[in-house]
Amino acid sequence: MTEVAAGREWVTALLEAVSRWPAVDECVDGQDYHYIVGGEALDLLQIAERLLSAAGELVPEEEKLDFLFRSHHVVKLAPEQLRELMGEERFGQYLNFFYGVTAEEALLQAVEEEVRKEEQGLNFHSEAWIVDEAFQRVYDATQRTLLQRFRREHGLKSGVRLTLGQLKEFTYWRFKYRLRHNEKARAASDTRKALDWIRKRAPEQTVAWR
C-alpha cells in the first residue's frame, strides 16, 4: 500500500495489489490468512483484510469496515473495472469464489427458508433437521454424509471442528460436488435461486453478476 502513502486512491491501489499478490496463505502476527479456496477461488476479503491491516491509519477505519463487511466500495465498480484492476486471472478466481462460496451458501440459506415456510412456524422440527432437509434437497445427501466425504478426501480427522478456512473449503467442495452430481438444468436452477436470494437479502454482494 505504498501507493496510498503517496496519495493514490486506496481501493484502486488495493485491487491492483491483489493482482500481484503471490501468497496462497500465510500467518501474520499470529493470524492465519487463507487466500485461495479449492486451489482456484480467490477470497478477496482475506487479502483486503491483510492489506488494510498493513495500511494502518492511511485508510480511515470506517472505510475499512465498509469494504470488509459491506463491500460498498467494490459494488460501485463495474465488473469490467474489477477485471482491469485485478487482472484476468485474479478476476476469474474472484468469480469462482463468488459462485462457489458466496452463492453456494446463499443457496443453502434460500432452501432452509423454504423448509421453514413449509413448517408454517409450527416448529415441528429442530433447526438441525431443517439444515439436513435443506442439504438433502440441494445435494441429495445429509450434511453429516458430505462432511465425512470431505474429511476423507482432505485427510481431516473426524470429530475435530473445522476452521473458518476449512469451512470455506467445504462450501466450495459442495459447489463442485453439486455441479458433478446434479443435472445441468437443476444445477442452473439452483444457482439462479441463490442469486435471487442474494439480490433480495444481500445486494452489496451482487457485483460479480450484475
Side-chain angles (χ1 to χ4, degrees):
M1 301 293 279
T2 54
E3 297 94 336
V4 178
R8 191 171 184 200
E9 198 276 325
W10 70 264
V11 175
T12 300
L14 184 148
L15 291 173
E16 289 187 344
V18 168
S19 72
R20 304 186 298 269
W21 197 254
V24 172
D25 49 47
E26 60 182 339
C27 181
V28 180
D29 296 330
Q31 181 169 348
D32 291 321
Y33 294 94
H34 186 53
Y35 306 122
I36 303 295
V37 176
E40 57 189 20
L42 174 72
D43 190 342
L44 174 62
L45 293 185
Q46 279 279 289
I47 299 181
E49 182 181 349
R50 167 77 170 86
L51 289 171
L52 290 174
S53 176
E57 296 181 357
L58 291 173
V59 179
E61 194 65 25
E62 184 175 349
E63 293 185 20
K64 291 181 183 179
L65 295 176
D66 275 347
F67 191 100
L68 294 174
F69 296 103
R70 292 179 287 276
S71 299
H72 286 171
H73 293 84
V74 175
V75 80
K76 295 177 183 177
L77 299 173
E80 294 75 18
Q81 292 174 291
L82 279 176
R83 181 184 286 108
E84 182 178 354
L85 291 169
M86 296 172 63
E88 197 68 37
E89 180 181 3
R90 288 302 192 201
F91 183 72
Q93 292 175 333
Y94 168 69
L95 290 182
N96 286 343
F97 187 91
F98 175 80
Y99 285 102
V101 179
T102 303
E104 196 68 14
E105 282 295 341
L107 171 60
L108 204 57
Q109 292 182 60
V111 176
E112 286 176 16
E113 286 184 2
E114 291 175 354
V115 176
R116 290 190 184 93
K117 286 180 181 178
E118 293 172 10
E119 292 285 287
Q120 298 179 344
L122 299 178
N123 297 320
F124 286 148
H125 296 101
S126 67
E127 185 66 20
W129 182 90
I130 291 173
V131 171
D132 261 344
E133 179 64 15
F135 265 81
Q136 285 282 4
R137 295 185 185 189
V138 174
Y139 307 105
D140 297 323
T142 65
Q143 182 182 36
R144 180 189 178 110
T145 297
L146 292 180
L147 264 174
Q148 288 175 337
R149 292 181 184 179
F150 173 76
R151 289 179 188 277
R152 280 199 306 270
E153 288 185 17
H154 290 76
L156 301 175
K157 295 181 180 179
S158 61
V160 178
R161 185 183 297 272
L162 298 182
T163 66
L164 179 59
Q166 289 169 338
L167 285 172
K168 292 177 184 178
E169 291 279 353
F170 177 48
T171 301
Y172 195 72
W173 179 89
R174 295 197 323 260
F175 165 70
K176 301 294 286 289
Y177 178 93
R178 180 169 64 84
L179 295 186
R180 287 197 310 270
H181 289 81
N182 293 356
E183 295 179 355
K184 288 185 178 180
R186 176 183 172 186
S189 175
D190 281 345
T191 297
R192 286 194 297 271
K193 180 182 294 185
L195 297 182
D196 286 341
W197 190 95
I198 294 173
R199 183 187 293 112
K200 295 174 183 176
R201 307 298 197 292
E204 71 278 4
Q205 297 184 45
T206 61
V207 63
W209 55 274
R210 60 172 187 167

